[in-house]
Amino acid sequence: MKIIHVIKKLNNTELNKAGTNDSYVMVPKKLDVSDLFPEVNRTIEFIFKKNGDIIRVRHTTGTEKRIVGLGEFYRSNQVCAGDEILFERQILHGESRYYMDLKQKTRTLVLQKLREGFAILTPERLDVLAGGSTVNTDFGPQPLELKFLGAVGKRKDSPGTTDIYDLQVGGLGTAWKYASKQMVEIEPGREPGTVTVTEAGTWRKYSFSMEEEDG
């Protein structure tokens, strides 16, 4: 049996929480997903592993490559930025079965690099930093805080604005270290008053084979 996994960490644009009026998964142009979606624009029925629901999605191409048909799935499962969606194809004796899964982190504060700072994608979780927090560094525990920088347009031609912040560790800014659109996750640490800061990878793809036992 051959198994293909494609995993995507979602952002607010894909979740229709940033004024896009659409819900989807953005696929990088260089990422080949033809082994997961054999035909462009063909609707495929994925089985949601959590409850067996059938989710009908399509892979589209054009100016952008997208996986579409996910709006109701996002809404009914209260999907948030930083959650990971998994698409899986199992191929056995020439027959394919398709599955979806969802990994949600309800205590994760998610940031995304925007211009010279970070946009907060999950502001409802700012309590992760309530009362002051420290993060372990090479120089020992250091205070961590978000410093407001201002409101900027997501693009130069954008009519709306987004508040952006610098992520400061020990009073020093860190936004300059991160690439554009990089996502950062802040989670409660093991000790009270501590947090962990992690760069969040956006895409992962795996393909592997498993031998089937006879009989």
Side-chain angles (χ1 to χ4, degrees):
M1 178 168 63
K2 183 177 182 181
I3 300 176
I4 299 101
H5 281 175
V6 172
I7 303 168
K8 174 65 167 65
K9 189 176 292 289
L10 300 165
N11 59 49
N12 278 348
T13 301
E14 294 167 309
L15 297 174
N16 192 16
K17 295 182 179 181
T20 57
N21 297 319
D22 204 357
S23 304
Y24 55 90
V25 169
M26 179 72 75
V27 181
K29 291 184 177 181
K30 294 182 179 180
L31 181 65
D32 181 10
V33 293
S34 61
D35 49 357
L36 178 66
F37 292 92
E39 298 178 36
V40 176
N41 281 323
R42 170 191 163 196
T43 297
I44 296 178
E45 294 185 345
F46 283 78
I47 301 171
F48 186 26
K49 289 185 174 183
K50 180 180 178 180
N51 55 21
D53 283 353
I54 302 299
I55 315 299
R56 297 173 176 84
V57 301
R58 293 179 294 116
H59 173 225
T60 66
T61 60
T63 305
E64 299 176 336
K65 294 167 60 176
R66 295 182 175 186
I67 300 170
V68 301
L70 293 160
E72 180 56 35
F73 176 79
Y74 288 162
R75 289 187 292 272
S76 61
N77 290 282
Q78 298 181 323
V79 182
C80 294
D83 291 349
E84 291 185 338
I85 190 169
L86 175 144
F87 298 95
E88 177 181 318
R89 181 187 181 189
Q90 298 182 2
I91 307 171
L92 178 62
H93 305 312
E95 297 292 328
S96 294
R97 292 183 179 180
Y98 297 86
Y99 298 92
M100 281 175 52
D101 208 352
L102 186 65
K103 181 179 180 181
Q104 295 178 284
K105 298 181 179 181
T106 59
R107 289 285 292 148
T108 303
L109 178 62
V110 183
L111 314 177
Q112 188 170 36
K113 181 68 179 294
L114 176 63
R115 307 282 282 275
E116 293 80 21
F118 291 98
I120 301 175
L121 301 191
T122 54
E124 68 278 7
R125 300 175 187 166
L126 278 168
D127 61 332
V128 170
L129 300 178
S133 299
T134 62
V135 60
N136 287 324
T137 71
D138 293 339
F139 304 98
Q142 297 289 328
L144 180 143
E145 64 175 339
L146 288 171
K147 181 181 179 181
F148 179 67
L149 298 179
V152 301
K154 291 187 176 182
R155 301 184 307 273
K156 291 183 178 180
D157 60 346
S158 178
T161 60
T162 298
D163 290 344
I164 62 169
Y165 300 77
D166 195 4
L167 182 64
Q168 296 197 337
V169 177
L172 299 177
T174 65
W176 63 271
K177 298 181 180 180
Y178 297 92
S180 177
K181 298 185 179 180
Q182 172 69 55
M183 296 176 72
V184 175
E185 296 179 339
I186 303 174
E187 298 179 290
R190 293 183 179 181
E191 300 296 328
T194 66
V195 294
T196 61
V197 180
T198 308
E199 290 187 34
T202 304
W203 278 97
R204 303 197 301 279
K205 179 180 177 181
Y206 308 100
S207 180
F208 52 93
S209 297
M210 300 175 60
E211 292 187 5
E212 291 293 311
E213 296 183 0
D214 295 332

